[in-house]
Amino acid sequence: MNTIENVAIKSDEPIADKTMMPGKNWLRILSGYRTPNTWRSIFELTVTFIGFLGCWALAWASLKISYALTAFICLICGGFLVRLFTIQHDCGHGSLFPSRIANDWVGRVIGVLTLTPYTLWKRSHSIHHSGSGNLEKRGFGDIYTMTVREYKSSSKYQRIMYRLYRSPLTLFVIGPIYVFGFQQRLPVGYMKDGAKYWISSLGTSAMMLILYVIMIYLIGFWQFVMIFSITSFTAAAAGVWLFYVQHQFEDTHWDMPEDWDIHDAALHGSSHYVLPKPLQWMTGNIGVHHVHHLYSRIPFYRLPEVIKDHPVLGEMKRLTIMESIKCANLHLWDEVNRRLITFKEARGHKA
């Protein structure tokens, strides 16, 4: 599956006004950040693992003191799990280590903790990157979005189902439980695409089961259930929310295939989610998503370096936490005005 940097268009055009520079021209600049530092990668991986395991140990110890304290520690533990997922995500892009073997095996091991079969997820995420912003490739590794015209021409039943699907309860509560708890236990969507996806899915689930049995033996059934449930749901819900706001914001970018450009869609169809420094660290800088989508081989710890060196990128597609909350009400793509709108706004549009 081609990623953006693999289909880069060579250009001899001079780089002048970077604010108006096409996405393809940024590739020449961003390629200078693609090389990972092996020792830095090992450090980031080690610190995250220690933080995750330490929070688990503290949560277990706190059960004798206060359940409220345990729940609080589990929230932090969920944050470290999000960071582990970000590192697994980099492995999938081949950006954590120079070695493909190292990336794949680290990704597989982390997948047991993140409940995410590595090979299966790597395939679906690659499809997401290669078709992001293309209206004819919606629903592959992303959150399905109807256009206003499609919604207006749908039956009443279809509208009701779409509204249910796009509700916050479905997307951010039911959705994370379904995706990470059930859907990824089988190679859904790839059942006829080869044994490796079955091995990835069932192998990850088998290793999860073994790990859970060991943990239950060590700390007790209900103790395990409480810590695991809060930690995993926190990470899953946060992950889905991050994925949502990275592409579902008002001035995102969608086009029909004849007008779609993979580079511009990456740069303008992904947000720069500006988070407080602690949250930025905990989420592995994944908020710098427009840069990541344009050049996915850049290691997550080098993304702030890109923003620092090229301030114009830091000002593009900025989305604060307060602004992101409003994005939960945006559900339909207005092809005429080229923005995401609410169901209420769509009422005034003609089919």
Side-chain angles (χ1 to χ4, degrees):
M1 186 64 63
N2 286 333
T3 54
I4 290 176
E5 52 268 28
N6 291 332
V7 295
I9 301 175
K10 294 183 179 180
S11 174
D12 296 323
E13 299 172 9
I15 299 175
D17 183 2
K18 291 184 180 180
T19 61
M20 301 298 291
M21 194 162 67
K24 66 180 181 181
N25 284 23
W26 276 107
L27 299 181
R28 292 183 290 164
I29 299 173
L30 298 181
S31 63
Y33 299 86
R34 66 176 287 169
T35 304
N37 180 314
T38 299
W39 289 110
R40 174 68 184 275
S41 295
I42 292 173
F43 171 78
E44 297 289 350
L45 179 62
T46 302
V47 167
T48 308
F49 259 120
I50 290 175
F52 176 72
L53 297 176
C55 283
W56 252 91
L58 286 174
W60 173 67
S62 70
L63 285 169
K64 298 178 181 179
I65 303 172
S66 166
Y67 287 161
L69 177 59
T70 301
F72 176 74
I73 295 173
C74 287
L75 293 178
I76 300 175
C77 193
F80 277 102
L81 191 55
V82 169
R83 200 168 199 269
L84 280 174
F85 185 87
T86 302
I87 293 175
Q88 181 187 22
H89 167 263
D90 264 30
C91 291
H93 286 293
S95 59
L96 190 66
F97 296 109
S99 166
R100 178 179 177 179
I101 294 176
N103 281 310
D104 287 346
W105 277 104
V106 169
R108 291 185 183 108
V109 172
I110 295 177
V112 176
L113 301 177
T114 62
L115 320 184
T116 305
Y118 174 73
T119 302
L120 182 64
W121 175 86
K122 182 179 177 181
R123 168 72 183 277
S124 65
H125 192 65
S126 177
I127 294 174
H128 163 66
H129 268 260
S130 64
S132 181
N134 188 325
L135 284 170
E136 287 197 355
K137 294 186 178 181
R138 286 168 289 168
F140 292 95
D142 63 7
I143 294 171
Y144 181 71
T145 306
M146 272 188 170
T147 66
V148 173
R149 178 181 55 81
E150 290 168 341
Y151 181 75
K152 289 282 188 177
S153 61
S154 297
S155 66
K156 185 176 181 180
Y157 172 77
Q158 289 173 324
R159 293 186 191 183
I160 291 174
M161 294 306 295
Y162 183 69
R163 279 178 173 269
L164 289 174
Y165 167 71
R166 297 286 301 205
S167 71
L169 177 63
T170 301
L171 289 178
F172 309 122
V173 179
I174 299 174
I177 295 173
Y178 169 71
V179 171
F180 290 93
F182 299 97
Q183 182 180 355
Q184 295 191 146
R185 307 287 62 84
L186 290 172
V188 177
Y190 305 99
M191 292 187 175
K192 298 180 180 180
D193 291 350
K196 64 180 180 179
Y197 300 114
W198 282 92
I199 294 172
S200 176
S201 179
L202 297 181
T204 300
S205 297
M207 294 306 298
M208 286 166 51
L209 182 60
I210 293 172
L211 178 62
Y212 299 164
V213 170
I214 293 173
M215 291 301 297
I216 289 171
Y217 175 78
L218 292 175
I219 71 174
F221 179 79
W222 290 112
Q223 293 87 337
F224 169 80
V225 169
M226 180 178 180
I227 299 172
F228 170 81
S229 298
I230 299 175
T231 298
S232 298
F233 177 76
T234 298
V240 170
W241 171 253
L242 285 169
F243 189 78
Y244 181 89
V245 298
Q246 286 161 359
H247 299 286
Q248 300 282 320
F249 55 100
E250 184 175 2
D251 61 336
T252 188
H253 190 97
W254 291 88
D255 276 310
M256 293 301 292
E258 59 269 21
D259 300 315
W260 177 74
D261 179 86
I262 190 172
H263 309 94
D264 289 337
L267 185 60
H268 301 293
S270 307
S271 67
H272 175 200
Y273 198 25
V274 183
L275 297 169
K277 290 296 182 181
L279 291 180
Q280 182 179 333
W281 184 89
M282 194 68 84
T283 56
N285 304 311
I286 199 63
V288 191
H289 210 62
H290 59 321
V291 176
H292 165 69
H293 252 262
L294 190 55
Y295 211 100
S296 62
R297 291 296 297 274
I298 298 176
F300 74 94
Y301 49 79
R302 299 199 68 180
L303 291 173
E305 184 183 344
V306 175
I307 296 299
K308 181 181 178 181
D309 292 347
H310 307 284
V312 64
L313 288 174
E315 296 303 316
M316 293 178 65
K317 302 297 179 179
R318 288 175 65 90
L319 190 67
T320 66
I321 290 180
M322 291 304 296
E323 290 169 337
S324 71
I325 294 174
K326 299 176 183 178
C327 294
N329 291 321
L330 302 176
H331 307 293
L332 298 166
W333 175 246
D334 182 348
E335 294 177 280
V336 176
N337 296 305
R338 296 191 58 77
R339 65 188 186 94
L340 277 181
I341 63 174
T342 64
F343 287 123
K344 183 177 180 180
E345 290 177 292
R347 292 174 188 169
H349 288 250
K350 294 182 179 180

